[in-house]
Amino acid sequence: MTLRRDLPPRWWEPAGGGPGRWMQRSEVPADARFFGLGGRASGPRLRDGTYRLWNTDPGMSFGPGDDPLYITMPVQMVVADAGTHLVFHDSSWDGTVTLREGEEGAGSGHDRPGTSALRMDGGRCGAG
């Protein structure tokens, strides 16, 4: 079973204008779950949503969903029945990662893989 399938990176420019950015899309098994390493107030599990790669120190108290550390290593840990892997997004450019958990087909054989879409404001993009 494949643990991760990376699609080729691409340079994406908005149709209405604006700055371009790199995008790297990946697929993981339907049963995979995403976790983030770093100081998240809401815990390490990363649910469906968009997360910023490089964070700023709020300089005050923080609540659920805030990231109190000003530089958290942009790392994902992906756990599935087939195995576990780490993904490092090593870049000094600002960016986001959008995660969507997969869905198992309840025996029908029609699983929907989970996805991860990395977007960076500049620099280089690639899988390693």
Side-chain angles (χ1 to χ4, degrees):
M1 174 175 271
T2 302
L3 287 178
R4 181 182 184 89
R5 184 172 78 94
D6 290 317
L7 302 170
R10 67 181 184 135
W11 183 252
W12 178 82
E13 294 182 9
R21 59 181 58 192
W22 281 107
M23 184 161 81
Q24 171 73 51
R25 295 173 295 146
S26 304
E27 291 182 351
V28 296
D31 67 333
R33 298 298 172 250
F34 298 99
F35 295 86
L37 305 179
R40 293 194 51 81
S42 58
R45 176 85 183 270
L46 299 176
R47 307 265 180 201
D48 289 358
T50 299
Y51 300 89
R52 193 159 170 217
L53 292 179
W54 295 97
N55 304 297
T56 57
D57 186 354
M60 60 192 85
S61 63
F62 55 89
D66 292 333
D67 295 322
L69 301 177
Y70 55 92
I71 298 182
T72 56
M73 175 54 100
V75 173
Q76 288 176 26
M77 180 171 69
V78 184
V79 179
D81 286 346
T84 300
H85 67 275
L86 287 175
V87 180
F88 293 84
H89 301 297
D90 185 16
S91 174
S92 59
W93 293 89
D94 197 8
T96 60
V97 62
T98 301
L99 304 174
R100 187 184 82 190
E101 291 183 345
E103 186 175 300
E104 295 183 89
S108 69
H110 297 288
D111 291 348
R112 184 190 77 202
T115 61
S116 171
L118 168 69
R119 291 177 173 86
M120 292 188 307
D121 289 344
R124 292 178 287 200
C125 188

